């Protein structure tokens, strides 16, 4: 006997969704055999090929869907020369076929209940009829309550989500930030919403190899997640003065535009500290680099901060300054909890970073007041979900979306 788990992330921008699911995969692979006495296998469905650079537990594998990307004109094919409609059909059919073949006991979807433009609805119908338990996993901050409410409405409201999903897992500490209290998670879903704690302690950390990106200690670290919109932070970091005796490792991310990456390289080479600065696209062992750093500057994405909070490394969060308020609200909440410092993006300058780095490298940051043990609990949460249920049993009787409805493509 074995348990099969499938996880989905749409990954139109960044790698945060896939990295979160990867951390869950390792936690479930470690804990479910102990809790259930059965071996566990799994499939991670992702939407960006860079996701596969990260390893998975034995018996697990990646399925990468042809990618969507977000442009000024909306969501379009990332690489294939096909229409948005044709790509939607390809992704939806591929995901549905894979899930039918795997017949998972548990299906975990990251953030977007129905995927890109409802691409998951055919699969969810099939899984629901087969008795698969379905979980919607949510980061702790979505956006302003008004924006979040509009997004829920666009996918059919809480009733549509409740029809397909047995539970909602919020990957955070409700004492730091409570999206149910703010209204970002609708009240209708409150009775099936469970807070896991931040997915921090126990995140997978790939082994160092001869080709691994390294920095000689002491060093400071700047990282901007996938990098698609982190060029301004990397540039300010490359121009910042370093604390005496320290080196600087700047991770620009695999998705940073080439011109932004080149600007950071040029700034680093022209710096008075040029010999002490290393710029790299990516490193598979970020948790190790964060632990060993004297201080870290980071954007406010969930996964970057989850990795940082598992350490005592002082952190300065410079949140994304764009259409979404998610990173800014997270930065403010974690700063209020004493887990990190925050710098409003409008105040970002090389001088501001220089001053913070000079002070931060002489201290460490205790984060014991924040619940960081979510990965140690998800096995128990999953084991409780994997219970017999009558095939095809309704979870909610309110109207649900139909497969031929057209809805706006989701935000990241």
């Amino acid at each position: 006997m074995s348990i099969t788990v499938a996880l989905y992330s749409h990954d139109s921008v960044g790698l945060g969704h896939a990295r979160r699911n990867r951390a869950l995969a390792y936690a479930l692979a470690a804990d479910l055999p102990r809790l259930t006495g059965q071996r566990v296998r799994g499939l991670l469905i992702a939407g960006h090929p860079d996701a596969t650079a990260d390893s998975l537990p034995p018996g697990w594998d990646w399925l990468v869907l042809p990618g969507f990307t977000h442009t000024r004109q909306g969501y379009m094919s990332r690489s294939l020369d096909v229409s948005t409609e044709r790509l939607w059909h390809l992704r939806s059919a591929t995901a549905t076929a894979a899930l039918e073949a795997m017949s998972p006991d548990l299906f975990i979807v990251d953030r977007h209940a129905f995927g890109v433009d409802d691409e998951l609805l055919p699969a969810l119908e099939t899984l629901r009829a087969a008795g698969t338990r379905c979980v919607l996993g949510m980061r702790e901050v979505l956006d302003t309550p008004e924006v979040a409410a509009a997004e829920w409405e666009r996918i059919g409201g809480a009733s549509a989500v409740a029809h397909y999903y047995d539970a909602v897992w919020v990957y955070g500490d409700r004492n730091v930030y409570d999206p149910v209290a703010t209204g970002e998670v609708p009240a209708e879903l409150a009775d099936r919403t469970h807070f896991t704690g931040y997915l921090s302690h126990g995140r997978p950390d790939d082994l160092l190899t001869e080709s691994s990106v390294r920095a000689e200690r002491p060093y400071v670290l700047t990282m901007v997640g996938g990098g698609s919109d982190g060029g301004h932070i990397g540039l300010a970091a490359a121009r910042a003065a370093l604390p005496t005796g320290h080196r600087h490792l700047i991770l620009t991310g695999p998705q940073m535009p080439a011109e932004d990456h080149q600007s950071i390289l040029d700034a680093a080479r022209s710096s008075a500290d040029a010999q002490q600065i290393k710029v790299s696209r990516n490193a598979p062992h970020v948790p190790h680099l964060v632990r060993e750093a004297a201080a870290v500057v980071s954007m406010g994405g969930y996964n970057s901060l989850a990795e940082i909070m598992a350490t005592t490394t002082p952190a300065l969060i410079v949140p994304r300054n764009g259409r979404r308020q998610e990173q800014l609200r997270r930065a403010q909440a974690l700063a209020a909890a004493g887990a990190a410092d925050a710098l409003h993006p409008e105040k970002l300058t090389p001088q501001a970073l220089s001053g913070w780095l000079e002070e931060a490298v002489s201290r460490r940051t205790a984060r014991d007041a924040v619940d960081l043990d979510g990965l140690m609990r998800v096995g128990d949460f999953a084991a409780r979900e994997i219970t017999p249920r009558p095939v095809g049993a309704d979870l909610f009787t309110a109207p649900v979306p139909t497969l031929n409805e057209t809805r706006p493509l989701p935000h990241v």
Side-chain angles (χ1 to χ4, degrees), residues 3 18 27 54 81 120 130 151 161 249 258 260 269 282 333 338 350 358 369 379:
I3 293 171
D54 293 327
D81 184 17
L120 280 184
E151 291 182 358
V161 173
L249 175 59
D260 289 350
R269 289 166 182 162
N282 200 12
E358 183 66 34

Side-chain angles (χ1 to χ4, degrees), residues 350-373:
Q351 294 74 25
L353 295 186
S354 300
W356 183 83
L357 289 169
E358 183 66 34
E359 178 275 330
V361 295
S362 62
R363 61 177 168 89
R364 304 303 281 178
T365 299
R367 301 182 171 102
D368 299 340
V370 180
D371 184 351
L372 305 174
D373 293 332

Side-chain angles (χ1 to χ4, degrees), residues 42-394:
L43 180 71
L44 271 71
I45 302 173
H48 200 289
D50 288 334
T52 64
D54 293 327
S55 64
L56 290 176
W60 293 65
D61 209 345
W62 292 101
L63 170 64
V64 178
L65 303 176
F68 275 115
T69 189
H70 189 265
T71 71
R72 292 180 180 178
Q73 291 75 40
Y75 282 82
M76 301 176 66
S77 174
R78 178 183 289 120
S79 301
L80 289 179
D81 184 17
V82 298
S83 67
T84 298
E85 180 180 7
R86 181 167 292 185
L87 180 59
W88 182 94
H89 282 288
L90 175 58
R91 286 170 57 103
S92 182
T94 301
T96 300
L99 290 167
E100 287 180 345
M102 292 295 292
S103 186
D105 300 283
L106 180 66
F107 183 43
I108 302 172
V109 173
D110 192 86
R111 174 68 172 91
H112 296 290
F114 304 134
V116 177
D117 200 18
D118 294 347
E119 67 184 358
L120 280 184
L121 275 177
L124 286 168
E125 288 283 0
T126 298
L127 296 179
R128 182 171 172 274
T132 296
R133 304 291 284 184
C134 296
V135 172
L136 178 61
M138 308 289 288
R139 61 196 183 213
E140 87 292 27
V141 184
L142 302 182
D143 207 312
T144 64
E146 296 77 15
V147 170
E151 291 182 358
W152 288 105
E153 184 63 25
R154 279 197 293 269
I155 64 170
S159 62
V161 173
H163 179 80
Y164 290 102
Y165 287 92
D166 301 271
V168 176
W169 294 351
V170 175
Y171 305 133
D173 180 347
R174 72 185 314 167
N175 293 317
V176 174
Y177 194 92
D178 186 346
V180 176
T182 66
E184 291 161 73
V185 172
E188 297 92 323
L189 296 176
D191 62 345
R192 67 186 68 200
T193 297
H194 310 281
F195 288 77
T196 65
Y198 284 94
L199 307 182
S200 292
H201 292 148
R203 291 181 75 89
D205 190 1
D206 289 331
L207 296 176
L208 294 173
T209 67
E210 291 184 1
S211 62
S212 296
V213 175
R214 301 171 186 267
E216 187 177 343
R217 299 174 66 185
Y219 66 89
V220 297
L221 174 67
T222 295
M223 58 186 198
V224 294
S228 60
D229 56 357
H232 61 300
I233 298 175
L235 189 59
R239 292 171 174 168
L242 292 179
T244 302
H246 286 72
R247 293 165 177 80
H248 195 173
L249 175 59
I250 302 174
L251 300 179
T252 61
Q255 297 174 6
M256 180 173 285
E259 58 271 24
D260 289 350
H261 179 77
Q262 187 61 50
S263 294
I264 294 170
L265 281 174
D266 293 341
R269 289 166 182 162
S270 63
S271 168
D273 298 315
Q275 298 303 312
Q276 310 303 320
I277 302 175
K278 178 185 291 187
V279 179
S280 178
R281 273 282 185 185
N282 200 12
H285 50 279
V286 170
H288 175 86
L289 291 172
V290 172
R291 278 196 306 272
E292 298 294 319
V296 59
V297 176
S298 175
M299 290 186 73
Y302 179 92
N303 289 284
S304 295
L305 296 185
E307 290 170 345
I308 288 169
M309 287 193 293
T311 75
T312 59
T313 304
L316 177 67
I317 309 172
V318 185
R320 173 184 290 132
N321 187 19
R323 57 188 173 84
R324 299 193 70 86
Q325 297 298 302
E326 171 221 340
Q327 292 197 7
L328 180 61
R329 293 169 75 89
R330 178 177 297 114
Q332 292 170 339
L334 291 175
D341 299 319
L343 178 68
H344 195 282
E346 293 180 357
K347 297 182 179 180
L348 173 66
T349 64
Q351 294 74 25
L353 295 186
S354 300
W356 183 83
L357 289 169
E358 183 66 34
E359 178 275 330
V361 295
S362 62
R363 61 177 168 89
R364 304 303 281 178
T365 299
R367 301 182 171 102
D368 299 340
V370 180
D371 184 351
L372 305 174
D373 293 332
L375 289 172
M376 301 178 186
R377 294 195 186 94
V378 292
D380 291 297
F381 281 43
R384 289 199 294 268
E385 288 298 331
I386 303 173
T387 55
R389 182 183 64 166
V391 173
D394 281 341

